[in-house]
Amino acid sequence: MTLYRCAGDIVFDDSVPHSGQISSVILKNLSETCNFLQYLKPLSYDHPYFCAQIRSLANNSKITLGIAGPDISEGTHPGNWNNTVGYHSDSGRCYTSHREIANTKGEGFGIGDIFGVQVTHFGSSKCTVVFSKNGRPVATRFLFESDPNNLLPTISLENGPVDLGLMWPDAVSDVPVFNMTDMNHWITSSDVIYDTCTNMFIIKSVEEEVTIQSPVPLSPALSHFEVIIRECSDKGVVPSIAISSCSPIKPAPTNNLLRDYLRWNANDGYLKVGHRLGWGICYLPYEKEKDDFDPLCQQLVICYVTINTMIAHKQIILQPEGGFYPLVILKNTASKASIDVTSNPCPVVKMNDMENHLLDATEALSNDQMTRDIPRSMFRTSESIDIEVRQDMCRLTLPANMMGIHAIQFLKPLTVVQSNFFIELQCLNEDSFIGIGVADNNLPLKKQPGKVKNSVGWLSRDGKLYFNGRNDSYVTGERYFAGDTAEVRLEYVGKNTSVVVFNKNNRTVGCRYLNQSNHSKFLPTVSLCGNGYKVVVDVCWQNQNTAPPKPAIDNLENWCLPPGSVIDYNKDIIHVRHHSSPVAIQSPVSLNQEFNHFEIVMPHTSSISTVLPIIGLTTPSPFDPPSVSNFKQDIIRFSGFNNDKSVKEGDRVGWGLLYLDTSIDVSDEQLVICYLTINRDVQLARVIYQPDGGFYPIVILPPALNMIQLDFSATIIREHPFTNDMLELMIAEALQLLEKEDELLAQGADIEPLNLFRSLQDLETKSKSPEHTSKSILKSDSSSLSNGLSAQTKSQESTKKKKKKSKHKRSHSKGSIHKDEVQSKSCNIL
């Protein structure tokens, strides 16, 4: 029997490990790519742990220790593949099925450290895993794998030389035991210290909040924990407490009873220093009486909060598999606390007043199951696709002998509430491909979504995002492969135009318009093409999961980035690969009232002729059909050159929107004020129609530029330098011009392109002139326009050369901002 699977430049001891044996694993010098080693005997109840002693490694070396199945690609880190888990030495980041989100922040490890990986619970649908550094837990994660044969110890190494001493599971004689009662075993970040003399956890940084987590879940032996408050603010803010699963559940629960995080805040000023705040669980009597009772299985429990040992709140919750882990959240104004899990009295939870709640919970679970049920009649499908309906997923299989494209549609439309579905690619040959998207029931089952009218789709083979047969846009998409997760989310629903967002491994890769007025036709669609190979995907339809919240705008991992980009998280800098044509970086969400401004920092460039980055606002995809109005544009953008005095290295350049009517949904089509800022001063402004779904911030890097820094310190602007007279002037002129455009269209005439941006000085002067009319905007001097500042449709851009001979050709006026000519006024930043 082969015990090892190896790829790359790894030299290792391939003998059968015996008790106590430390096996040598060495990565050769100058080996830069991902090198892979897997022990083909799975972790088990008897052998749940393996570890590595770090003997030597280079400054830029990277070690990933984790657990994966035999199907993982040899060029992939465990954790960055579906249903695997892995921990990175260089960053301390821990991933499970591509996700890093968890309760606590990890820490890196290096020379002299012993790093361990241990399965602490072997569940029916998933396992819990704890990672330890020098005998101290540093992270917990779910491993979403139910097959015990797929729990294989796996390591990957980059940038040699690296020298490890591996103790494989069979070589380990003493498995670490972690205890909630040992405060040194609680998982903290480097921002927290534990003072053994005072028995207190203390924040030593300026972080607003820091979480401390128990290494093990609550259990019948220790079912209640308390926090003793050692510091509170003048306003009565005290530490918070919570219970949580070891990491977020996948897929996100559809039932409100199943929670992976419950938090209790007590900030009403009642609690003081020395008071106790606690949380506990009570197992239901009929569950505890079962012969096969497992306290860590998924089951209904009573969760309760105690204040000074008295029960203050209780409710019935569906405990996730693996149990609830105690959490303590320290704050910069309540930075000290002690944890008591041994001497605290465990209160008696009375069951007689919970019977009705228990009946309601049982009924809610039954209703949720009915909502999640998927009968075969709910599919419109090619007969060549085999469908296996499971608890959380549907497995689709296309046999190898079925040639051509085969599509399947779920006949339950996406809605605002049930807005997303995703697929996990289990088996996909490099010659096979998949499409995922939204289409109506007129889609031929031999076609791919996005390649026909009234549909959008994302294809694995070329990575392109298609809509109505087109794929033109600044953000083009990204390829996806076996081991990846591809998601489709209905981001915005409009009367005739909606917006669909595509995600790869929990990161946005792009968005497209869906031109479909019949909202009952928003059907989730998957197409499979094997080209002689078997294709297997697991699909989680929209009634089997809950859509995640919108991504945080200030986390660059959520942005649409070119493949291979590297993020400097400390400085919010994106480094992109060398590129011969421009590449785009786009926000995952559109501007709105809570994110109405974004900006970049102008980078240093070595050549005076180098083009600076373009910063702009764009629609999800080009208008189809294209717009001819000056007020409906695909993109608004600003660019400059190093010899342009309007901007220089280090300047912050941004775009913002001012919404004029708060009664209109922020994402609906509406007239807004669009303005350009340089160093937080408004330079130019105009009126424009915000399109359905909103404007998305975008940055386009020319070939000579491989990095850009974003600044998230001014994402919300509450007050503006625009006076009421200025706003009335801009709106009145815009309405008059719109009326003129309607007249021209009725006559069959072309609409001449106009530069509508105005400086504040121009607006202020003309707003005070009673004789000012809309004609003044037609005669505005081009000096009020920046070099490269333009608003146009992509169709105008692509057909500009074709219309060169036309009497009413579309063109751009270019000028430059001179600081002695333009009076700017500042914004108040929140």
Side-chain angles (χ1 to χ4, degrees):
M1 174 184 174
T2 303
L3 269 181
Y4 302 93
R5 176 183 167 211
C6 181
D9 297 325
I10 295 179
V11 179
F12 67 101
D13 181 356
D14 60 356
S15 63
V16 177
H18 56 77
S19 180
Q21 176 181 338
I22 299 177
S23 302
S24 177
V25 176
I26 297 174
L27 178 64
K28 298 178 183 178
N29 192 17
L30 304 179
S31 182
E32 298 180 354
T33 58
C34 181
N35 301 268
F36 179 90
L37 180 62
Q38 191 172 54
Y39 186 63
L40 298 180
K41 189 174 180 181
L43 295 159
S44 64
Y45 287 100
D46 296 329
H47 301 283
Y49 173 81
F50 74 100
C51 64
Q53 180 182 16
I54 318 303
R55 294 168 172 168
S56 68
L57 72 166
N59 291 333
N60 62 338
S61 297
K62 179 178 180 178
I63 304 168
T64 304
L65 296 174
I67 305 171
D71 61 334
I72 185 175
S73 169
E74 294 176 347
T76 303
H77 294 275
N80 299 126
W81 185 277
N82 287 331
N83 305 330
T84 69
V85 66
Y87 194 106
H88 296 185
S89 65
D90 56 339
S91 62
R93 310 186 86 181
C94 184
Y95 293 88
T96 177
S97 295
H98 304 284
R99 299 188 67 184
E100 188 202 4
I101 300 173
N103 303 318
T104 57
K105 294 189 297 185
E107 58 185 80
F109 58 91
I111 296 175
D113 291 329
I114 296 176
F115 197 85
V117 183
Q118 180 178 349
V119 178
T120 53
H121 174 68
F122 295 83
S124 60
S125 63
K126 49 186 169 285
C127 303
T128 58
V129 179
V130 62
F131 297 88
S132 60
K133 174 182 174 181
N134 302 326
R136 181 177 58 84
V138 292
T140 61
R141 290 295 188 276
F142 274 130
L143 171 57
F144 299 99
E145 179 58 69
S146 58
D147 187 346
N149 295 316
N150 290 340
L151 307 181
L152 305 179
T154 305
I155 68 172
S156 64
L157 307 175
E158 284 187 12
N159 300 322
V162 176
D163 186 357
L164 306 179
L166 256 293
M167 290 193 73
W168 298 113
D170 293 329
V172 177
S173 55
D174 295 321
V175 176
V177 177
F178 304 118
N179 200 318
M180 193 188 304
T181 59
D182 188 340
M183 295 298 109
N184 290 304
H185 286 174
W186 281 64
I187 301 171
T188 64
S189 68
S190 58
D191 300 319
V192 175
I193 60 172
Y194 173 64
D195 188 336
T196 56
C197 297
T198 59
N199 188 31
M200 284 194 300
F201 289 95
I202 305 170
I203 294 181
K204 63 176 184 179
S205 72
V206 295
E207 293 280 344
E208 289 188 6
E209 290 189 352
V210 177
T211 299
I212 306 167
Q213 179 190 309
S214 166
V216 296
L218 294 169
S219 65
L222 290 173
S223 62
H224 178 249
F225 77 101
E226 284 187 313
V227 172
I228 305 173
I229 300 168
R230 300 302 188 189
E231 181 184 69
C232 65
S233 71
D234 296 337
K235 297 181 179 180
V237 176
V238 299
S240 298
I241 58 172
I243 53 176
S244 169
S245 56
C246 68
S247 62
I249 298 172
K250 185 194 78 167
T254 57
N255 193 312
N256 289 332
L257 289 173
L258 181 57
R259 304 287 188 88
D260 53 21
Y261 188 87
L262 287 167
R263 173 168 169 166
W264 181 271
N265 296 315
N267 295 333
D268 56 2
Y270 171 74
L271 294 175
K272 307 295 182 183
V273 171
H275 286 186
R276 291 172 173 257
L277 187 62
W279 205 313
I281 61 173
C282 178
Y283 301 95
L284 300 179
Y286 69 85
E287 291 285 351
K288 294 179 66 175
E289 293 170 359
K290 294 180 180 178
D291 294 336
D292 60 347
F293 170 65
D294 180 2
L296 297 183
C297 74
Q298 182 172 293
Q299 59 186 297
L300 290 173
V301 297
I302 299 176
C303 295
Y304 59 91
V305 174
T306 59
I307 298 178
N308 294 326
T309 71
M310 303 295 292
I311 294 178
H313 171 78
K314 59 184 177 180
Q315 67 183 101
I316 292 179
I317 292 293
L318 186 61
Q319 173 187 270
E321 189 169 18
F324 278 124
Y325 289 71
L327 304 178
V328 179
I329 299 95
L330 299 179
K331 308 166 186 178
N332 54 14
T333 55
S335 62
K336 301 177 182 178
S338 299
I339 300 174
D340 187 0
V341 294
T342 55
S343 63
N344 72 90
C346 191
V348 177
V349 179
K350 297 179 181 180
M351 297 296 300
N352 53 0
D353 59 345
M354 299 299 294
E355 292 180 356
N356 290 335
H357 296 286
L358 181 58
L359 291 174
D360 292 341
T362 304
E363 183 180 359
L365 290 177
S366 177
N367 292 338
D368 178 65
Q369 185 59 51
M370 292 176 61
T371 303
R372 294 165 55 86
D373 284 343
I374 300 178
R376 304 274 298 196
S377 60
M378 290 297 295
F379 295 106
R380 175 177 176 260
T381 180
S382 165
E383 295 181 357
S384 301
I385 298 177
D386 296 328
I387 305 171
E388 180 187 354
V389 179
R390 300 182 174 185
Q391 176 66 24
D392 294 324
M393 299 261 193
C394 285
R395 173 153 293 188
L396 308 180
T397 303
L398 182 68
N401 61 340
M402 295 298 175
M403 304 302 292
I405 298 171
H406 301 267
I408 179 172
Q409 291 185 301
F410 187 43
L411 298 178
K412 184 180 178 65
L414 295 173
T415 64
V416 174
V417 177
Q418 295 183 337
S419 60
N420 78 310
F421 73 102
F422 64 87
I423 64 172
E424 295 183 349
L425 285 70
Q426 303 297 339
C427 180
L428 185 70
N429 186 272
E430 60 182 11
D431 293 326
S432 307
F433 59 91
I434 289 174
I436 180 174
V438 182
D440 60 26
N441 57 0
N442 294 318
L443 174 84
L445 295 179
K446 291 292 185 179
K447 293 288 186 179
Q448 301 176 86
K451 290 296 191 75
V452 299
K453 282 288 186 180
N454 301 327
S455 72
V456 293
W458 178 25
L459 304 189
S460 66
R461 179 165 56 184
D462 58 13
K464 292 181 178 179
L465 305 174
Y466 290 86
F467 65 106
N468 299 339
R470 303 169 56 182
N471 63 11
D472 49 321
S473 185
Y474 292 104
V475 176
T476 57
E478 185 177 330
R479 296 181 67 190
Y480 53 103
F481 308 91
D484 287 332
T485 297
E487 179 189 7
V488 174
R489 186 176 75 248
L490 186 62
E491 179 74 6
Y492 165 79
V493 177
K495 182 178 180 181
N496 297 309
T497 303
S498 301
V499 177
V500 174
V501 172
F502 299 89
N503 294 334
K504 175 185 175 182
N505 302 330
N506 307 298
R507 179 178 58 81
T508 304
V509 298
C511 53
R512 291 294 183 267
Y513 278 135
L514 175 60
N515 301 122
Q516 174 62 266
S517 58
N518 187 345
H519 298 169
S520 66
K521 302 293 186 180
F522 293 166
L523 303 182
T525 305
V526 179
S527 63
L528 311 176
C529 181
N531 284 330
Y533 297 93
K534 181 180 179 180
V535 178
V536 181
V537 298
D538 288 339
V539 187
C540 184
W541 305 109
Q542 67 270 26
N543 65 327
Q544 295 178 301
N545 81 99
T546 298
K550 286 191 175 184
I553 196 64
D554 57 355
N555 183 353
L556 286 177
E557 275 196 343
N558 296 328
W559 283 58
C560 306
L561 306 177
S565 298
V566 177
I567 300 172
D568 182 339
Y569 296 94
N570 294 325
K571 298 180 180 179
D572 286 326
I573 294 177
I574 302 168
H575 298 270
V576 303
R577 291 175 176 172
H578 175 75
H579 49 286
S580 57
S581 57
V583 295
I585 298 166
Q586 182 175 299
S587 166
V589 299
S590 60
L591 290 182
N592 54 71
Q593 289 174 348
E594 298 303 318
F595 168 47
N596 59 18
H597 179 258
F598 91 108
E599 58 190 350
I600 64 171
V601 179
M602 280 295 174
H604 169 75
T605 53
S606 57
S607 172
I608 61 172
S609 61
T610 301
V611 179
L612 291 173
I614 295 172
I615 178 173
L617 299 175
T618 184
T619 54
S621 56
F623 291 129
D624 189 17
S627 169
V628 295
S629 171
N630 286 291
F631 292 89
K632 294 185 178 181
Q633 306 293 331
D634 285 329
I635 188 167
I636 305 168
R637 60 190 182 183
F638 170 84
S639 62
F641 296 88
N642 276 357
N643 58 2
D644 181 1
K645 297 180 181 180
S646 61
V647 292
K648 61 183 183 300
E649 176 188 344
D651 281 348
R652 291 174 295 188
V653 180
W655 284 106
L657 293 183
L658 173 60
Y659 293 90
L660 303 172
D661 188 346
T662 57
S663 66
I664 302 176
D665 187 281
V666 70
S667 296
D668 285 347
E669 182 182 90
Q670 58 189 292
L671 284 175
V672 296
I673 303 294
C674 175
Y675 57 90
L676 175 76
T677 62
I678 298 179
N679 295 323
R680 309 283 167 82
D681 291 337
V682 174
Q683 300 286 344
L684 299 167
R686 64 159 291 177
V687 175
I688 194 169
Y689 266 113
Q690 174 187 267
D692 281 323
F695 276 122
Y696 286 76
I698 190 171
V699 181
I700 301 175
L701 302 183
L705 192 60
N706 296 327
M707 62 82 68
I708 192 65
Q709 181 179 9
L710 275 70
D711 190 333
F712 296 112
S713 61
T715 57
I716 305 177
I717 296 180
R718 298 297 191 194
E719 297 181 11
H720 300 264
F722 304 110
T723 64
N724 288 336
D725 289 339
M726 292 180 188
L727 294 177
E728 289 175 2
L729 168 65
M730 287 192 288
I731 296 168
E733 291 180 338
L735 293 176
Q736 291 175 17
L737 285 173
L738 283 167
E739 185 177 351
K740 182 63 176 178
E741 286 186 348
D742 290 340
E743 293 176 1
L744 291 173
L745 290 175
Q747 298 168 7
D750 290 342
I751 297 176
E752 191 71 18
L754 301 174
N755 285 296
L756 304 181
F757 282 98
R758 310 284 293 279
S759 71
L760 288 188
Q761 183 181 28
D762 182 44
L763 286 170
E764 187 171 10
T765 300
K766 294 182 179 180
S767 65
K768 297 177 181 179
S769 172
E771 299 178 354
H772 175 71
T773 67
S774 64
K775 293 182 180 179
S776 63
I777 203 169
L778 302 176
K779 299 176 182 178
S780 61
D781 187 72
S782 62
S783 65
S784 66
L785 302 169
S786 81
N787 186 11
L789 181 66
S790 61
Q792 66 178 37
T793 64
K794 297 182 182 72
S795 58
Q796 292 169 356
E797 187 175 23
S798 62
T799 60
K800 183 178 176 182
K801 294 182 179 179
K802 296 181 181 179
K803 290 197 172 186
K804 191 171 183 180
K805 298 180 180 180
S806 170
K807 180 179 178 181
H808 300 288
K809 69 177 182 179
R810 294 192 175 275
S811 61
H812 305 295
S813 295
K814 290 187 177 181
S816 60
I817 296 177
H818 301 291
K819 292 194 175 181
D820 57 347
E821 294 179 356
V822 177
Q823 177 182 347
S824 61
K825 296 188 178 181
S826 297
C827 305
N828 288 337
I829 310 301
L830 179 65

